[in-house]
Amino acid sequence: LKISGQRIEAEITGVDFNTSLRVNGRSPWVIRAQWYDVAQGGVRTFESESLWFDPAPYLDKRKTIGVFIDPAKPGRYAVDTSFLPKHLE
């Protein structure tokens, strides 16, 4: 999707635990975001991949996050977390 998808900027709505997943008694963090899709006429919500550290300090003053979407398949997307440090994973 980073190559063929459409990049949009979604409003960050929060950072939460992904409680549907547990590894060694821990749940990963996810970044949640939303975007108003003018073409579809509604709000779309997005969730990042699982992160094994709290990304909140790295979001700092960010209000938006990049999301690559597949215009042909609305449920297919990837939240761009490339700005986060890799050594904490």
Side-chain angles (χ1 to χ4, degrees):
L1 285 173
K2 288 183 179 182
I3 296 168
S4 61
Q6 173 189 357
R7 182 183 168 94
I8 56 105
E9 288 294 317
E11 177 187 354
I12 296 170
T13 57
V15 175
D16 300 301
F17 283 111
N18 176 2
T19 56
S20 67
L21 176 63
R22 280 183 124 18
V23 176
N24 296 326
R26 290 182 49 214
S27 291
W29 295 87
V30 291
I31 301 168
R32 298 190 193 281
Q34 68 181 17
W35 172 69
Y36 185 76
D37 186 344
V38 176
Q40 298 295 318
V43 175
R44 292 182 54 186
T45 59
F46 306 101
E47 182 178 288
S48 72
E49 69 215 58
S50 294
L51 302 165
W52 293 100
F53 62 94
D54 181 1
Y58 302 97
L59 298 177
D60 202 21
K61 296 177 178 113
R62 284 178 174 261
K63 294 189 185 312
T64 64
I65 191 166
V67 180
F68 297 96
I69 60 172
D70 182 342
K73 296 180 183 170
R76 193 165 170 241
Y77 66 88
V79 176
D80 183 8
T81 57
S82 63
F83 64 92
L84 293 173
K86 299 297 178 213
H87 68 278
L88 295 175
E89 295 271 350

